[in-house]
């Protein structure tokens, strides 16, 4: 059994495993969509599923792909919201000094692709896709970077993570403001009241999953019916989660010491008997509860959700949205696909690198220690990996199936080229550095800056 489980456990714990799984499901979707099973694949996605309560007449019927894009992706955006809140409170966005470079880089990486896309598009029907090339897929971009392990400066990894999170925040704002249908203000008012109540509970440092999760479902349904995309509800709900511990560090140590003392007093009994005494069982429970209380609800939920996001939600989303027919007789609007691909490749590269260069030149921001501007160029190319967020926005921007498929072709092509170019640039820098000197490790808990002249 261990021979079977050990490789699985190693795969799950691998930092790159999520990216590999996402790549695999993307490739699988493309293969199935261009195989004899294509009709079966599309019929499955369009099949309607109903959730409801028979006795009170409440029913919610949606196609399978919408349960994924509106339901599972709301959980994904909830996780994104938790990451954003954590970074703002106590991470790389918690101070102007830390946040200046990734924030400016992210803004450049949002604005320039939009400008390139709008400039290249002449058909008014396609203008709605301007938000598609502004997004960066944090899983794929970091996955490429992690292929180099410790040979890549830690500051580059943190920079890429931080600007991708800011990029996600910008995408959330764009989705919430620009990609909405007719809004039912009364339903939004109801959801606002619930969110306010949950926010007050969070400010009082109170959190109960028996209150939070049922109310979250209600808020999600209200957003779904209101005209605002329900994924926005996921982000807003994340900001109601308290980020404070329920116990102090001193209290945690005291509880652990007291519980361990109860074990050590009768060590002989524990080593010679299979069954623990009642006080030992309670001591073990106390240790578990103390360990849980030292984590804030925000950190605990983010940690518990992470494997579900990486190994289930994102791969399912990729499988449901990456299936594009590439047959010669397929209707592909290259007047849409090409601008999206160019905006992702060139727009992200120019926007991120130029904004970073100007910020450093103006001494508004500083490059991370151990990172010269050539590494920023590589990270800027990886920023063109739009994929998950780009596919998501494309689903909101285009109702027509031909246009949506064309947008997906542009996203997949642009992301693939950006990823390959970014990998090649960073690999050349890593190999060059490896030849010149042995890499000096940087503490993972720090994101240090130095004044660097470009």
């Amino acid at each position: 059994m261990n021979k079977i489980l050990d490789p699985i456990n190693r795969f799950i714990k691998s930092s790159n495993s999520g990216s590999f799984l996402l790549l695999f499901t993307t490739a699988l979707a493309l293969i199935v969509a261009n195989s004899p099973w294509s009709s079966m694949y599309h019929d499955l996605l369009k099949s309607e599923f109903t959730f409801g309560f028979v006795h009170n007449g409440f029913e919610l019927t949606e196609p399978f792909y919408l349960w994924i894009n509106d339901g599972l992706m709301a959980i994904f955006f909830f996780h994104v919201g938790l990451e954003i809140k954590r970074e703002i409170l106590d991470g790389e966005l918690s101070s102007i000094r830390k946040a200046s470079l990734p924030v400016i880089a992210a803004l450049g990486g949002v604005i320039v692709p939009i400008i390139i896309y709008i400039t290249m598009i002449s058909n008014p029907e396609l203008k709605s896709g301007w938000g598609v090339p502004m997004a960066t897929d944090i899983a794929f971009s970091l996955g490429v970077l992690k292929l180099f392990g410790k040979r890549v400066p830690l500051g580059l990894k943190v920079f890429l993570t931080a600007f991708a999170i800011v990029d996600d925040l910008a995408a959330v704002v764009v989705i919430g403001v620009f990609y909405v249908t007719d809004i039912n203000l009364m339903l939004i008012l109801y959801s606002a009241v619930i969110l306010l109540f949950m926010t007050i509970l969070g400010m009082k440092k109170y959190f109960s999953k028996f209150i939070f999760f049922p109310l979250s479902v209600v808020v999600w349904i209200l957003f779904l019916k209101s005209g605002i995309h329900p994924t926005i509800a996921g982000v807003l709900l994340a900001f109601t989660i308290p980020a404070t511990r329920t116990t102090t560090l001193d209290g945690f140590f005291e509880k652990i010491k007291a519980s361990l003392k109860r074990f050590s007093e009768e060590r002989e009994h524990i080593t010679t008997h299979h069954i623990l005494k009642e006080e030992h069982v309670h001591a073990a429970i106390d240790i578990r509860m103390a360990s849980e209380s030292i984590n804030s609800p925000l950190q605990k939920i983010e940690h518990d959700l992470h494997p579900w996001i990486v190994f289930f939600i994102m791969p399912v989303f990729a499988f449901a949205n990456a299936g594009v027919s590439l047959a010669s007789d397929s209707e592909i609007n290259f007047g849409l696909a090409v601008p999206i691909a160019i905006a992702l490749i060139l727009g992200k590269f120019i926007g991120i690198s130029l904004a970073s260069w100007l910020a450093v030149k103006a001494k508004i921001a500083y490059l991370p220690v151990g990172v010269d501007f050539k590494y920023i160029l590589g990270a800027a190319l990886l920023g063109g990996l739009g994929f998950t967020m780009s596919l998501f926005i494309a689903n909101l921007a285009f109702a027509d199936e031909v246009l949506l498929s064309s947008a997906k072709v542009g996203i997949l092509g642009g992301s693939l080229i950006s990823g390959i170019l970014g990998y090649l640039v960073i690999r050349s820098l890593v190999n060059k550095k490896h030849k010149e000197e042995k890499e000096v490790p940087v503490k993972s808990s720090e994101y240090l800056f130095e004044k660097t002249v470009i």
Side-chain angles (χ1 to χ4, degrees):
M1 181 62 72
N2 289 336
K3 290 182 178 179
I4 298 174
L5 294 179
D6 287 348
I8 297 175
N9 289 330
R10 285 196 297 271
F11 175 78
I12 292 174
K13 291 178 181 179
S14 170
S15 60
N16 297 321
S17 55
S19 301
F20 289 143
L21 184 59
L22 195 58
L23 183 61
F24 171 77
T25 51
T26 301
L28 182 62
L30 286 168
I31 292 171
V32 172
N34 292 274
S35 73
W37 300 287
S38 175
S39 59
M40 187 184 302
Y41 167 79
H42 291 292
D43 288 343
L44 172 64
L45 294 178
K46 293 177 182 178
S47 299
E48 291 191 341
F49 290 84
T50 300
F51 169 81
F53 303 96
V54 177
H55 296 294
N56 63 11
F58 171 80
E59 287 187 354
L60 189 61
T61 302
E62 298 282 352
F64 184 50
Y65 77 93
L66 282 183
W67 279 112
I68 295 170
N69 291 357
D70 293 350
L72 290 183
M73 288 303 285
I75 302 174
F76 169 78
F77 274 80
F78 173 70
H79 191 260
V80 169
L82 293 175
E83 290 181 333
I84 292 171
K85 182 173 182 177
R86 172 174 51 79
E87 292 295 327
I88 291 174
L89 291 176
D90 194 25
E92 300 309 322
L93 305 178
S94 59
S95 68
I96 295 176
R97 184 168 178 265
K98 287 182 176 182
S100 54
L101 184 62
V103 167
I104 293 171
L107 291 177
V110 166
I111 294 170
V112 176
I114 293 174
I115 293 173
I116 290 178
Y117 177 86
I118 292 176
T119 302
M120 294 185 68
I121 293 294
S122 57
N123 187 346
E125 186 182 3
L126 308 181
K127 293 288 186 181
S128 60
W130 60 267
V132 174
M134 60 169 279
T136 293
D137 189 293
I138 190 170
F140 264 139
S141 56
L142 277 178
V144 172
L145 208 56
K146 286 178 180 178
L147 291 174
F148 299 100
K150 293 182 179 180
R151 293 180 295 167
V152 172
L154 175 67
L156 185 66
K157 297 177 183 178
V158 178
F159 166 74
L160 181 58
T161 303
F163 95 65
I165 288 175
V166 176
D167 190 287
D168 282 347
L169 180 58
V172 169
V173 172
V174 166
I175 292 168
V177 175
F178 297 101
Y179 290 98
V180 295
T181 55
D182 295 332
I183 299 176
N184 187 321
L185 293 178
M186 188 57 65
L187 294 181
I188 293 298
L189 179 61
Y190 293 152
S191 61
V193 171
I194 298 174
L195 286 167
L196 178 61
F197 171 70
M198 297 171 73
T199 301
I200 292 172
L201 291 181
M203 293 173 65
K204 296 291 184 180
K205 301 179 183 180
Y206 177 81
F207 176 81
S208 170
K209 59 184 178 182
F210 300 106
I211 294 176
F212 177 81
F213 292 112
L215 290 180
S216 297
V217 173
V218 174
V219 171
W220 177 80
I221 293 173
L222 289 172
F223 267 75
L224 182 67
K225 296 295 185 180
S226 71
I228 295 181
H229 202 275
T231 52
I232 302 301
V235 178
L236 296 177
L237 286 165
F239 277 81
T240 69
I241 303 294
T244 52
R245 304 187 189 101
T246 57
T247 185
T248 63
L249 199 59
D250 290 338
F252 168 74
F253 285 134
E254 289 301 320
K255 288 180 181 179
I256 294 295
K257 286 178 182 177
S259 298
L260 290 176
K261 184 178 180 182
R262 287 152 72 181
F263 276 101
S264 61
E265 287 174 350
E266 295 191 50
R267 180 186 293 269
E268 183 178 346
H269 171 85
I270 297 172
T271 55
T272 57
H273 292 75
H274 295 292
I275 305 299
L276 294 176
K277 289 185 176 181
E278 191 71 20
E279 57 265 30
H280 297 146
V281 174
H282 288 299
I285 293 173
D286 290 343
I287 291 174
R288 187 193 69 197
M289 294 179 65
S291 300
E292 290 179 353
S293 66
I294 198 62
N295 280 328
S296 67
L298 184 148
Q299 280 186 299
K300 187 177 187 306
I301 295 173
E302 183 185 354
H303 179 269
D304 291 345
L305 267 182
H306 184 262
W308 288 98
I309 298 294
V310 171
F311 297 108
F312 179 67
I313 291 178
M314 291 183 69
V316 169
F317 173 82
F319 182 75
N321 288 273
V324 182
S325 177
L326 302 177
S328 58
D329 59 345
S330 300
E331 291 186 69
I332 301 295
N333 186 330
F334 289 99
L336 174 62
V338 173
I340 288 178
I342 292 176
L344 278 172
I345 301 166
L346 291 181
K348 280 290 185 181
F349 174 71
I350 295 171
I352 294 169
S353 57
L354 180 60
S356 300
W357 184 82
L358 291 174
V360 174
K361 272 294 186 181
K363 298 185 178 180
I364 299 173
Y366 303 105
L367 293 178
V369 167
V371 177
D372 59 31
F373 195 70
K374 292 178 182 177
Y375 277 111
I376 298 297
L377 296 178
L381 285 168
L382 292 182
L385 275 158
F387 199 68
T388 305
M389 294 295 283
S390 292
L391 286 173
F392 185 79
I393 296 175
N395 277 281
L396 301 178
F398 302 111
D400 181 82
E401 289 193 13
V402 173
L403 295 182
L404 180 57
S405 295
S406 302
K408 289 179 180 180
V409 170
I411 293 167
L412 294 173
S415 296
L416 178 63
I417 294 172
S418 293
I420 292 173
L421 291 176
Y423 171 81
L424 292 176
V425 168
I426 293 175
R427 188 183 70 171
S428 66
L429 294 172
V430 167
N431 290 341
K432 182 180 179 181
K433 183 177 179 181
H434 184 69
K435 291 178 181 179
E436 292 176 351
E437 59 181 353
K438 188 176 181 180
E439 182 183 357
V440 179
V442 183
K443 292 182 180 180
S444 61
S445 60
E446 296 179 352
Y447 184 25
L448 305 177
F449 291 81
E450 63 180 5
K451 296 184 178 181
T452 307
V453 178
I454 297 176

